[in-house]
Amino acid sequence: MTANLSQTLTLLLIEDDDGDAFLVEELLNQAQAPPRIFRARNLREAKEQLTPQIQCVLVDLSLPDASRLEALEEVLALAPHTAVLVLTGLRDVHVGVAAVQSGAQDYLVKGDVDARLLARSIRYAMERKRADLAQLKLVQAELTAQENARLESALLPGPLLRSSAIEHVTRYLPGSGGTLAGDFFDTVQTPDGSVHMVIGDVCGHGPDEAALGVALRIAWRTLVLAGQPDDTLLRTLDTLLRAERKAPEIFTTLCTATISPDLSHATMRVVGHPPPLLVRDGEVRVVTETPSGPPLGIFADAEWAVIDVPLGTEWSMMLYTDGLIEAAVGEPSRLLGVEGLLDLVREHGAIDLDRLISHVGTLSDDLAVVMVRRCIT
C-alpha cells in the first residue's frame, strides 16, 4: 500500500546503523511524494545538517556520540521548532515513552514499522509540533497581554481630582508593534486647589522601558503630594532615571503643568517634549515653540526654564506624546506633525480627542493624550 505523504518534505535521519537507515529510506520512498532525506550517522554530523529547511527529524537514541535521551535533548535544543520522531529498538520501548515525555512528538519501534505507519507518524508528528508551537504562542501572548495590562494600569492611572470645574479626558493607543512602550501620564490636585499634570515618554519599547515609565510616574505623584517644588521634582526624576535605566543612552521627555487654584494661569516645563496645545478664546496655538530644556538623562547639570501661560476664563489644553504627531494620516500617508495637529483642532473648532484619533492611521509609536478643559457653569 502506498504511504500517505502527499507533499514533498525534507527530513533528517540520524541513524548510525546502515541497515536500519536503508530500511527507513526504502519505506519513505514508497510515499506518494518521496521526501528529500538527509542522513547523519552521529550527533556531530546532525548538528551540521540541522538547517531551517528540515521539517522533521527521525533520531535513533543509540548513537555513538550520545547516550539515549542525550541525543534527543541535543536535537530539541538545536531545532526547537522542528518535529522530532524517535526510533527505538524492541527492548527500548520505555525509552521511547520517556522521549515523548521529554519533548519528542512520537516514537516508533524499528521492528514494527511499515511504510504506512512511518508516513502517518511523520505527518502526525509535524501536526503535533505545529499545535504545540501554536499553543506556546497563545500562552506567550496571554502572558504578554497580562503584563501589558498590569503595566498600563500603573502607567495610566486615574486622576486625583476633587474639583468639578475641570474636565479631564485621556486616551492611549499602543503602537503597531503591540509592545507596550514607556508613555505615561498623571494628574493630581493638591489641597491648595492647584492641578498638577505630567505626560512623559521613555525612549524605546518593551517591558524595561514600560517599567521605567511606571517608576517615574509614581515618583512624580509622590513628589507632588509631598509638596516638592518643580525644580527639585525634575532633578529627582533625572536622578531616578539615571539610577534605574538599563543603558546610559535611555532618556525621557516629559511635560509638566501646574494650573493655579483659580484655574486662570499655568506654569509649564517642556522637557524635550512635543509642545502642548492650548485653545483660548477660540484661538488654537502651541504653548511654546522653544522647550524649557533637554530631556531627562542627557545632561547632569541641566536646568529647565519655567513657561508662564495665561489661561483666562475659558480654555482647554492638550498634552500628548510624539506617537500622535508621528502617526501616519491621509492618502498618500504622511506624518501628522505639529502643524497638522493644529489644523485638525482648528477644523474641529475644539479639542475632541475621539475625532482627532479617528484621523490617525498607522502608529509607529505609542500614543498618549491628556486633555483638560475649564468647565464654565
Side-chain angles (χ1 to χ4, degrees):
M1 183 176 291
T2 303
N4 185 19
L5 281 181
S6 57
Q7 66 182 60
T8 301
L9 303 177
T10 302
L11 311 179
L12 175 62
L13 173 62
I14 310 175
E15 173 63 73
D16 64 319
D17 187 283
D18 290 338
D20 288 343
F22 176 78
L23 175 61
V24 171
E25 290 170 353
E26 283 296 301
L27 293 175
L28 289 173
N29 282 333
Q30 298 177 41
Q32 293 178 4
R36 296 178 61 201
I37 305 171
F38 292 88
R39 165 90 183 280
R41 291 174 171 79
N42 52 52
L43 198 56
R44 178 182 58 79
E45 292 182 7
K47 291 178 181 179
E48 297 173 355
Q49 299 191 62
L50 265 175
T51 65
Q53 286 70 42
I54 301 297
Q55 296 166 280
C56 184
V57 178
L58 286 74
V59 56
D60 177 25
L61 295 185
S62 300
L63 297 176
D65 56 349
S67 60
R68 293 185 177 269
L69 293 181
E70 180 185 345
L72 173 63
E73 292 170 356
E74 288 281 353
V75 170
L76 291 174
L78 292 168
H81 302 297
T82 305
V84 178
L85 186 63
V86 166
L87 302 175
T88 71
L90 286 171
R91 299 179 180 178
D92 296 324
V93 174
H94 65 286
V95 178
V97 174
V100 172
Q101 293 172 342
S102 298
Q105 274 62 61
D106 205 349
Y107 75 94
L108 288 174
V109 179
K110 294 179 183 179
D112 294 341
V113 176
D114 59 24
R116 181 177 180 181
L117 175 60
L118 181 57
R120 185 178 63 185
S121 296
I122 291 173
R123 186 173 69 252
Y124 286 0
M126 293 177 62
E127 288 301 322
R128 288 191 192 102
K129 187 64 178 183
R130 191 174 293 114
D132 289 345
L133 293 174
Q135 179 64 26
L136 179 60
K137 288 182 179 179
L138 178 60
V139 171
Q140 290 174 338
E142 290 176 348
L143 291 175
T144 299
Q146 291 173 5
E147 181 66 9
N148 282 351
R150 185 181 68 83
L151 289 171
E152 186 175 321
S153 66
L155 284 165
L156 316 174
L160 295 181
L161 280 173
R162 304 187 315 276
S163 173
S164 59
I166 286 282
E167 179 186 359
H168 183 275
V169 183
T170 65
R171 294 291 185 271
Y172 171 81
L173 292 176
S176 56
T179 303
L180 196 66
D183 291 16
F184 61 93
F185 55 73
D186 203 354
T187 302
V188 172
Q189 188 170 21
T190 47
D192 67 350
S194 299
V195 177
H196 305 262
M197 303 168 57
V198 68
I199 192 165
D201 185 0
V202 179
C203 72
H205 297 81
D208 289 340
E209 289 75 12
L212 183 54
V214 171
L216 292 171
R217 202 277 307 165
I218 293 174
W220 178 87
R221 176 176 281 205
T222 302
L223 292 165
V224 168
L225 292 174
Q228 294 297 314
D230 287 344
D231 287 337
T232 300
L233 186 151
L234 289 176
R235 282 195 292 270
T236 303
L237 292 181
D238 184 73
T239 301
L240 176 65
L241 170 64
R242 295 171 187 275
E244 296 294 330
R245 63 188 177 185
K246 299 295 184 181
E249 64 270 16
I250 293 177
F251 61 89
T252 298
T253 70
L254 56 83
C255 175
T256 65
T258 300
I259 302 171
S260 61
D262 63 1
L263 308 181
S264 65
H265 184 270
T267 56
M268 308 186 73
R269 286 172 172 79
V270 181
V271 183
H273 200 78
L277 262 61
L278 177 66
V279 178
R280 182 180 58 195
D281 299 327
E283 179 189 4
V284 183
R285 66 180 184 91
V286 295
V287 167
T288 178
E289 298 288 348
T290 305
S292 302
L296 301 180
I298 302 294
F299 303 111
D301 57 350
E303 295 183 355
W304 299 277
V306 179
I307 302 170
D308 290 309
V309 185
L311 298 176
T313 57
E314 188 172 350
W315 55 267
S316 56
M317 183 191 304
M318 184 173 73
L319 283 62
Y320 55 92
T321 57
D322 59 6
L324 177 60
I325 55 176
E326 292 177 359
V329 295
E331 292 293 341
S333 63
R334 56 180 174 79
L335 296 185
L336 177 60
V338 175
E339 289 301 321
L341 181 59
L342 284 168
D343 289 342
L344 282 178
V345 174
R346 292 185 180 117
E347 178 184 333
H348 298 160
I351 299 176
D352 184 326
L353 297 191
D354 291 329
R355 291 184 66 185
L356 279 177
I357 292 174
S358 70
H359 287 81
V360 170
T362 302
L363 293 177
S364 60
D365 197 358
D366 285 22
L367 178 161
V369 187
V370 179
M371 190 279 294
V372 290
R373 177 183 291 120
R374 183 174 185 179
C375 300
I376 304 300
T377 57

